[in-house]
Amino acid sequence: MTGTRNRRRLPLVLWLAASLPFASLAARADEPPPAGPSAAAPSTTAEGLKYRVVIDAPASLRETLSDSVNLIKWQTYDQMTPGLFEALVRQATDQAREAASTEGFFSATIDVAVDRTTSPITVNVHVTPGPRAQVATANVEVQGPATADSLGAEASANVRRTWPLPAGAPFKQSDWIVAKQRAVTTLAADAFAAAKVASSEAVVDPDTNTVELAVAIDSGPVFHVGDLEIEGLSRYPADLVRNYRTQRAGDRYSIAQLDQFVRRLNGSGYFASVHAAVDPDPAHADDAPVLVSVIEAPPKKLEVGLGYSTDTAFRGNISYRDVDVDHHAMQMYVDARVEQKLQNASLRFVRPPSASGWSPSAFAGVERTDISGLETQAAKAGVRMSSLDERNQWQYGAAYYTDRLRPTGFDDTSSRALYIDVERAWRRVDDLVAPTRGWIALAQAGVGVPGASTSGFERVILRYGYWKPLGPLWSFTARAEGGAVIGAARRDVPSALLFRTGGDTTVRGYAFQSLGVKQGETVFPARYYYAGSVEVTRWIRESIGVAAFVDAGDAFDDRSDTHVALGYGIGARVRTPIGPFRLDVAYGERSRQIRLHFSVGVTF
């Protein structure tokens, strides 16, 4: 208690479960009370006294009242006695007042009225909540080693910046508990794995209907990761797991890096389930072991599917994988796909990453397409080396392409190329699968080797994506990309290395790959292209929104002869575990058509 009568201090956990109404009740409030000696009273039947409760309260309070007031919870108890019923009625007012307090209504008026003229007896619980209390002040303090650490100071500032109950916010017990948990979690994510609440206090002033909050977080020591302690392996060696790790022994602990490690293992194909956590014992802070539990997935998997996309219409596909084809964790993927406009088959082998973080692969494939008046028959084979770091990823590759074009109304042409390229990706987003904030950039440069190609050439591609929330209900997305093939005529470069655009993920309002060099009824792939988009989304719920967008792009051979193809429209957005789902209706100015588009995931 404080020195003033109209103020009261609330403990670390406010208003726990309501106290039992009297000593003869069961020890737990959620268990029915035992039948007392009064069970044989004349006013009861063999099944016990019957009553029903009518709750007259705002919708936001009804669930809390139902969970907290024993009179309400036990109205279906089949051995109710008159004495027990009267005790529950007497206790209901205090319990309802305490329940309202947990929702921030400290001046609630409670009225419990019993109508014995009805059968069963009717009990009316009327609650007038009054105004909800607001947070007057919120003092969030971080104590311990974090205060003497430069990175810890940033983490402490982040705790205060993200505190969810600032002055002026409505007060609820559940929000107060969650806020403290979030403060601890935020600090623990930044190297302070043993962070905990040192003290907390909520002081209520019923006269002003305000609450003063104070919480102190003990950071505990700075944690550095030690070795991995792995359990659950039988088929694969422990080094396979270690080679996917994002932090080495001695690195400063980061939960973001640990989560990325888990995502890598889950996406590797070797495991059905992965869990990892650092040992939070402060005694091991300088060399904290990381406990990794895995469940190995079956190495072989066959999938058959049917589907439809607005780009390539109906499709059937079959795929087979064996992630341990040589009993040394080499992965083999075989895929075949048949669509109305596209048919292909591919074979790919992938080695797990080495200790240095690089993964080699080899691939081969054949493809036939019939799009916009152009039939292509292509084949390719090559090798590629990819770094494991998704946020700063390098890739190097060499591949041989052969290509035959059969355009409507024109002579057939053939080309080949030995193409060597390097690719760099920068991903500075909050979530790699479904970003809401940040940017992604990708640059690729390659050459068609003279002598081994129909004609030597150079090729460049640049892509950029940007995401920004505009307050709690709006978000903004922008995308820009472009590419060029220099040094060779279009007919001397395989079509897989040229460009067409238009479709679900490029310029909406146009058919798939319908923007290119048009000659007669045929749209040829071009030596240059660009595409861009801006989009604003209004979120109706946390994961469902409505978007408006404008797209623009084209593909062309002559840089002086480009004409922007505009597309614009509206669409639905759904956030899913595999990335954003988009269903769009778009109008293409050049095509003068309205088209339906849908796609899933991020195109980078």
Side-chain angles (χ1 to χ4, degrees):
M1 297 292 292
T2 63
T4 56
R5 295 179 58 190
N6 64 338
R7 291 165 64 86
R8 56 181 176 177
R9 294 186 185 275
L10 302 175
L12 174 61
V13 178
L14 308 177
W15 313 293
L16 298 177
S19 58
L20 297 177
F22 46 90
S24 65
L25 294 186
R28 289 178 52 191
D30 58 347
E31 294 177 353
S38 59
S43 59
T44 63
T45 66
E47 292 79 19
L49 183 145
K50 302 294 184 182
Y51 70 95
R52 68 184 185 92
V53 179
V54 177
I55 303 173
D56 181 13
S60 59
L61 273 177
R62 289 173 190 166
E63 184 177 352
T64 302
L65 291 168
S66 297
D67 291 341
S68 305
V69 179
N70 289 335
L71 178 68
I72 300 172
K73 291 198 296 183
W74 293 344
Q75 60 185 307
T76 58
Y77 180 49
D78 61 4
Q79 298 184 46
M80 183 62 61
T81 67
L84 186 53
F85 172 70
E86 295 297 336
L88 293 176
V89 171
R90 290 194 300 271
Q91 293 293 320
T93 299
D94 289 340
Q95 291 178 354
R97 184 172 291 110
E98 289 297 318
S101 295
T102 65
E103 296 296 317
F105 299 104
F106 296 105
S107 56
T109 301
I110 313 297
D111 180 60
V112 179
V114 179
D115 185 354
R116 302 178 187 275
T117 65
T118 62
S119 181
I121 295 171
T122 301
V123 182
N124 290 284
V125 178
H126 178 77
V127 180
T128 304
R132 172 172 270 156
Q134 291 187 334
V135 176
T137 59
N139 181 23
V140 182
E141 180 186 3
V142 176
Q143 304 172 346
T147 60
D149 179 274
S150 59
L151 294 178
E154 294 179 14
S156 301
N158 191 36
V159 169
R160 289 186 285 269
R161 183 172 57 253
T162 60
W163 176 256
L165 283 179
F171 179 83
K172 290 173 57 178
Q173 173 194 355
S174 57
D175 291 345
W176 169 229
I177 294 173
V178 169
K180 291 182 287 185
Q181 293 172 338
R182 178 174 171 177
V184 170
T185 301
T186 300
L187 192 59
D190 285 287
F192 301 95
K196 61 183 179 181
V197 174
S199 64
S200 69
E201 185 177 59
V203 181
V204 177
D205 188 337
D207 291 341
T208 61
N209 231 29
T210 58
V211 183
E212 296 177 359
L213 304 179
V215 59
I217 310 295
D218 179 6
S219 70
V222 177
F223 275 67
H224 292 83
V225 297
D227 198 9
L228 302 184
E229 296 183 1
I230 307 166
E231 61 179 20
L233 290 174
S234 60
R235 178 182 298 275
Y236 308 111
D239 281 345
L240 183 141
V241 174
R242 290 192 176 94
N243 290 347
Y244 279 100
R245 70 184 304 178
T246 53
Q247 292 185 292
R248 304 298 173 182
D251 287 353
R252 187 184 178 102
Y253 166 71
S254 163
I255 196 169
Q257 293 289 326
L258 186 63
D259 288 344
Q260 186 179 1
F261 173 47
V262 171
R263 285 195 297 270
R264 285 181 179 180
L265 291 175
N266 278 322
S268 68
Y270 297 111
F271 305 107
S273 175
V274 180
H275 178 267
V278 71
D279 183 352
D281 186 348
H284 302 150
D286 291 336
D287 188 26
V290 178
L291 313 176
V292 184
S293 298
V294 301
I295 298 176
E296 294 176 346
K300 298 178 175 63
K301 186 176 183 179
L302 176 66
E303 293 181 336
V304 178
L306 296 173
Y308 178 85
S309 75
T310 49
D311 272 348
T312 53
F314 294 98
R315 72 172 182 270
N317 62 279
I318 182 170
S319 63
Y320 173 78
R321 77 171 193 188
D322 186 342
V323 298
D324 193 27
V325 67
D326 65 346
H327 304 295
H328 289 86
M330 176 183 279
Q331 301 181 348
M332 180 183 73
Y333 297 88
V334 182
D335 292 281
R337 180 174 174 179
V338 178
E339 300 182 350
Q340 289 177 292
K341 300 180 181 180
L342 181 152
Q343 304 85 44
N344 62 28
S346 65
L347 173 66
R348 185 164 59 103
F349 293 94
V350 182
R351 280 285 186 193
S354 63
S356 61
W358 288 87
S359 176
S361 61
F363 61 89
V366 294
E367 182 174 84
R368 177 190 176 277
T369 67
D370 190 353
I371 300 171
S372 298
L374 178 65
E375 180 184 337
T376 66
Q377 297 173 352
K380 62 181 179 180
V383 294
R384 201 154 190 84
M385 184 73 77
S386 303
S387 70
L388 196 58
D389 186 352
E390 303 92 335
R391 296 188 180 273
N392 299 281
Q393 189 173 46
W394 286 94
Q395 294 189 50
Y396 304 92
Y400 188 77
Y401 293 82
T402 64
D403 192 88
R404 183 176 182 85
L405 304 185
R406 303 181 65 183
T408 301
F410 296 89
D411 293 337
D412 295 359
T413 62
S414 298
S415 59
R416 56 187 172 82
L418 176 60
Y419 182 65
I420 299 174
D421 75 289
V422 58
E423 182 178 298
R424 174 70 157 91
W426 299 263
R427 296 180 174 94
R428 304 294 187 267
V429 288
D430 57 347
D431 190 303
L432 291 171
V433 175
T436 62
R437 181 190 301 272
W439 56 272
I440 296 177
L442 181 144
Q444 184 189 88
V447 297
V449 179
S453 307
T454 304
S455 179
F457 61 90
E458 297 80 41
R459 182 174 184 263
V460 177
I461 293 177
L462 299 174
R463 294 178 179 170
Y464 181 79
Y466 178 75
W467 294 262
K468 181 178 177 61
L470 304 175
L473 299 178
W474 295 84
S475 62
F476 173 78
T477 304
R479 172 179 50 83
E481 58 183 291
V485 171
I486 305 167
R490 168 170 36 93
R491 63 179 295 133
D492 294 332
V493 179
S495 61
L497 300 174
L498 296 170
F499 310 109
R500 285 189 288 187
T501 190
D504 298 342
T505 59
T506 54
V507 185
R508 288 161 287 189
Y510 299 87
F512 178 55
Q513 294 189 1
S514 64
L515 298 177
V517 179
K518 189 169 184 179
Q519 297 180 359
E521 298 300 317
T522 301
V523 177
F524 290 90
R527 295 194 301 129
Y528 303 95
Y529 93 105
Y530 68 89
S533 175
V534 292
E535 179 172 302
V536 176
T537 303
R538 170 63 160 85
W539 295 100
I540 302 171
R541 298 181 181 177
E542 184 178 357
S543 60
I544 300 175
V546 177
F549 57 86
V550 177
D551 295 350
D554 198 10
F556 48 93
D557 273 348
D558 188 345
R559 286 175 289 179
S560 64
D561 187 30
T562 176
H563 303 282
V564 177
L566 286 174
Y568 38 82
I570 60 174
R573 299 290 178 267
V574 180
R575 290 170 173 152
T576 74
I578 59 173
F581 170 85
R582 296 174 288 267
L583 177 62
D584 297 316
V585 177
Y587 175 75
E589 277 197 350
R590 183 187 296 181
S591 65
R592 297 183 179 180
Q593 290 182 335
I594 296 175
R595 302 187 66 88
L596 182 69
H597 300 272
F598 65 83
S599 59
V600 179
V602 178
T603 56
F604 280 86

